[in-house]
C-alpha cells in the first residue's frame, strides 16, 4: 500500500468540487461528489437519538437502493431540529441535485452540517445546486464541508490487487462534539474497486470501531454525523469477496484512510494545540482497554494538563480509576512518551527537562500497562484550551 498526494476524486470515475453559496459569510460552503456510474455504498450514522433530516433521508436511500451516484453537502446550516419542513427541504435538496445531474433521485445522497435549529435557506440552496458542474476542482470539496475546522483532512492510498491498481480516497470534517462514536463529523470515502455493498458494509463496520469510534474531543455528540463509503468498480478488478485475502487487503486500505482522518480530526479539535494518543495494554478485554483510554482522553483535567504542558500523572491515574472496569490497582504502569512516571503503581523519578520536551511537542502519547491479560486499545483526542471555550461560547453569535 502506498499513500499518495491526491483528493476525493483521485479514484477512477469520480469528480468533485465546491463553491461559496452563502450559507456562511466566508469560505466555501457547498460541495458535491459525482460518479460516472452508480456505485456500491455503505454508511454509518450518528448514535444521537436526534437525527437531522438529511441523515434520515440518506440512510433510507442507502438501505433501499444499495447504490449511489452523487452526494451533495452544505456547511453552515445543519437542517436539524427543523420539523417537518426540514424533511421536505432535504427531499427537495435531493430532487434538485438529481434533476441537475439527470440521474435517479434515490441515487443522490444529501448531508448538512452547521448550526442546529436554523431552517434551510432554500433560495441559496437552489442557486448553489444550479451551479453544480462535473470535473471541477476536487480539492475544493474538502474545503466546502468544513465548519470550525482549521484545516482540510484528506488521505489517498493505492494498492495492487493482482495487476489492477485500486485507489481509495477519504475526506473528513470535524473538530468538536466528537464522542463517543464519530459525532459532528462528516466523512466521505471513494474507491474504484469492484466490491458489492454488503461486503463494503462489513468492512466499514469492522474498521469504524478502531478508527472514528476511537476519537473524543469534548464528550458531546451531534445530530448530523455520518461516514459514507462508495466504490464504483471502475478498476475492473476481480470482485472482492468477504473474508478473502483481497478483502483483508481492502480492509487494511480502509483502516489506513480512516485512521489517518480520525487522527487529523482529533488534532484539529476546536482550539486544540496538541494531539493526544492514549494506548492501554494488558487489559482483560478490548472493551475495557477502550473504556480506560477514552476516560483518559476525555478527562477535562487531563486535557487541561496537556494544554498547560504539566506532566501531572495523578490526573491520568484518576481517570483510569473512574472507569467501570476491573484491573489490579497495585500493578499499573504509566508512561508519558517513553518516560515511565508510575511503575508498578508507585511513582518513578524522571528528568524534568526530558519530560518537558515531550509535553511541549505537538503530539503527546500516554501509555497505560495493566498487566492483566493481553487486550489493547488506542484512542485519540486533543487538549482543552482557552480558545475552545471562546469558539463554543460564540458559535452562533
Amino acid at each position: 500500500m502506498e499513500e499518495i498526494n491526491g483528493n476525493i476524486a483521485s479514484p477512477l470515475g469520480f469528480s468533485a468540487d465546491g463553491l461559496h453559496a452563502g450559507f456562511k459569510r466566508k469560505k466555501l460552503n457547498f460541495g458535491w461528489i459525482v460518479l460516472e456510474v452508480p456505485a456500491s455504498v455503505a454508511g454509518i450514522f450518528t448514535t444521537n437519538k436526534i437525527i437531522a433530516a438529511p441523515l434520515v433521508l440518506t440512510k433510507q436511500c442507502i438501505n433501499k437502493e444499495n447504490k449511489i451516484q452523487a452526494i451533495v453537502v452544505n456547511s453552515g446550516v445543519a437542517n436539524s431540529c427543523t420539523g417537518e419542513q426540514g424533511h421536505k427541504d432535504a427531499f427537495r435538496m435531493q430532487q434538485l441535485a438529481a434533476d441537475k445531474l439527470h440521474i435517479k433521485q434515490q441515487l443522490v445522497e444529501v448531508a448538512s452540517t452547521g448550526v442546529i435549529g436554523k431552517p434551510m435557506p432554500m433560495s441559496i440552496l437552489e442557486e448553489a445546486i444550479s451551479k453544480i458542474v462535473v470535473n471541477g476542482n476536487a480539492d475544493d470539496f474538502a474545503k466546502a464541508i468544513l465548519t470550525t475546522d482549521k484545516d482540510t483532512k484528506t488521505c489517498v492510498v493505492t494498492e495492487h490487487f493482482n495487476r489492477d491498481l485500486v485507489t481509495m480516497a477519504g475526506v473528513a470534517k470535524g473538530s468538536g462534539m466528537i464522542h463517543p462514536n464519530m459525532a459532528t463529523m462528516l466523512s466521505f470515502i471513494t474507491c474504484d474497486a469492484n466490491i458489492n455493498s454488503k461486503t463494503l458494509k462489513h468492512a466499514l463496520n469492522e474498521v469504524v470501531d478502531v478508527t472514528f469510534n476511537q476519537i473524543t474531543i469534548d464528550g458531546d455528540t451531534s445530530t448530523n454525523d455520518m461516514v459514507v463509503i462508495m466504490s464504483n468498480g471502475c478498476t475492473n478488478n476481480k470482485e472482492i469477496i468477504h473474508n478473502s485475502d483481497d478483502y483483508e487487503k481492502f480492509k487494511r486500505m480502509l483502516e489506513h484512510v480512516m485512521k489517518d482522518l480520525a487522527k487529523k480530526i482529533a488534532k484539529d479539535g476546536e482550539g486544540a494545540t496538541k494531539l493526544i494518543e492514549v494506548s492501554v495494554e494488558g487489559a482483560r478485554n478490548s472493551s475495557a482497554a477502550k473504556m480506560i483510554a477514552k476516560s483518559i482522553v476525555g478527562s477535562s483535567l487531563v486535557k487541561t494538563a496537556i494544554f498547560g504542558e504539566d506532566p501531572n500523572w495523578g490526573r491520568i491515574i484518576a481517570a483510569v480509576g473512574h472507569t467501570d472496569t476491573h484491573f489490579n490497582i497495585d500493578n499499573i504502569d504509566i508512561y508519558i512518551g517513553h518516560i515511565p512516571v508510575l511503575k508498578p503503581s508507585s511513582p518513578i523519578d524522571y528528568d524534568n527537562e526530558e519530560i518537558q520536551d515531550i509535553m511541549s511537542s505537538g503530539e503527546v502519547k500516554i501509555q497505560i500497562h495493566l498487566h492483566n491479560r493481553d487486550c489493547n486499545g488506542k484512542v485519540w483526542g486533543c487538549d482543552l484550551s482557552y480558545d475552545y471555550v471562546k469558539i463554543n461560547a460564540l458559535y452562533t453569535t
Side-chain angles (χ1 to χ4, degrees), residues 7 9 15-18 28 32 133-143:
N7 53 50
S15 69
D17 204 347
L28 305 181
W32 60 91
V133 295
V134 178
N135 297 322
N137 182 359
D139 288 324
D140 281 348
F141 178 81
K143 301 173 185 176

Side-chain angles (χ1 to χ4, degrees), residues 67-100:
K67 290 290 182 179
I68 186 173
Q69 197 168 355
I71 188 158
V72 289
V73 188
N74 75 278
S75 172
V77 179
N79 193 11
S80 176
C81 300
T82 46
E84 183 60 29
Q85 187 60 47
H87 291 280
K88 292 179 181 178
D89 291 343
F91 184 85
R92 181 65 174 156
M93 182 178 183
Q94 181 192 49
Q95 184 180 55
L96 288 169
D99 291 345
K100 174 66 178 178

Side-chain angles (χ1 to χ4, degrees), residues 42-157:
I44 295 178
F45 304 89
T46 184
T47 56
N48 197 309
K49 293 182 177 65
I50 309 299
I51 303 175
L55 266 71
V56 173
L57 180 58
T58 290
K59 188 175 182 179
Q60 288 173 348
C61 289
I62 287 178
N63 290 340
K64 181 179 179 181
E65 296 291 329
N66 287 317
K67 290 290 182 179
I68 186 173
Q69 197 168 355
I71 188 158
V72 289
V73 188
N74 75 278
S75 172
V77 179
N79 193 11
S80 176
C81 300
T82 46
E84 183 60 29
Q85 187 60 47
H87 291 280
K88 292 179 181 178
D89 291 343
F91 184 85
R92 181 65 174 156
M93 182 178 183
Q94 181 192 49
Q95 184 180 55
L96 288 169
D99 291 345
K100 174 66 178 178
L101 294 167
H102 306 292
I103 60 178
K104 185 178 177 182
Q105 182 172 343
Q106 285 74 21
L107 295 180
V108 179
E109 314 304 351
V110 295
S112 300
T113 183
V115 178
I116 293 171
K118 283 190 174 182
M120 182 67 74
M122 292 306 292
S123 60
I124 291 174
L125 178 65
E126 290 172 8
E127 183 178 358
I129 292 175
S130 72
K131 295 178 180 178
I132 291 177
V133 295
V134 178
N135 297 322
N137 182 359
D139 288 324
D140 281 348
F141 178 81
K143 301 173 185 176
I145 64 175
L146 305 181
T147 50
T148 58
D149 310 60
K150 297 188 293 292
D151 301 303
T152 58
K153 302 159 186 70
T154 303
C155 182
V156 185
V157 296

Side-chain angles (χ1 to χ4, degrees), residues 171-298:
V171 299
K173 64 80 52 178
S175 58
M177 291 177 70
I178 298 172
H179 178 84
N181 294 327
M182 303 190 303
T184 217
M185 54 155 277
L186 297 177
S187 181
F188 306 101
I189 301 166
T190 57
C191 189
D192 48 25
N194 179 14
I195 182 171
N196 68 40
S197 294
K198 185 176 180 180
T199 307
L200 207 56
K201 180 69 171 179
H202 280 299
L204 182 60
N205 284 341
E206 291 176 24
V207 173
V208 76
D209 277 341
V210 294
T211 55
F212 288 142
N213 284 355
Q214 292 305 105
I215 53 178
T216 180
I217 302 297
D218 53 20
D220 285 313
T221 57
S222 175
T223 62
N224 289 62
D225 183 49
M226 73 161 72
V227 53
V228 171
I229 180 170
M230 46 205 124
S231 198
N232 59 17
C234 285
T235 300
N236 291 320
N237 60 291
K238 183 180 178 182
E239 183 179 351
I240 297 170
I241 305 299
H242 187 225
N243 287 336
S244 65
D245 290 342
D246 280 351
Y247 174 78
E248 293 302 320
K249 186 185 293 187
F250 180 87
K251 203 167 69 170
R252 285 194 293 272
M253 292 179 72
L254 185 58
E255 182 171 344
H256 181 97
V257 169
M258 290 173 64
K259 186 174 290 185
D260 181 86
L261 295 175
K263 292 176 72 173
K264 286 174 178 174
I265 288 172
K267 189 174 183 178
D268 197 24
E270 289 169 344
T273 67
K274 302 179 191 301
L275 173 68
I276 306 172
E277 179 181 286
V278 176
S279 302
V280 175
E281 300 179 6
R284 63 187 300 164
N285 54 55
S286 59
S287 177
K290 292 175 184 178
M291 188 185 302
I292 292 170
K294 282 189 174 183
S295 178
I296 295 168
V297 160

Side-chain angles (χ1 to χ4, degrees), residues 327-332 344-346:
F327 50 85
N328 183 354
I329 62 174
D330 297 319
N331 196 16
I332 301 172
S345 295
S346 297

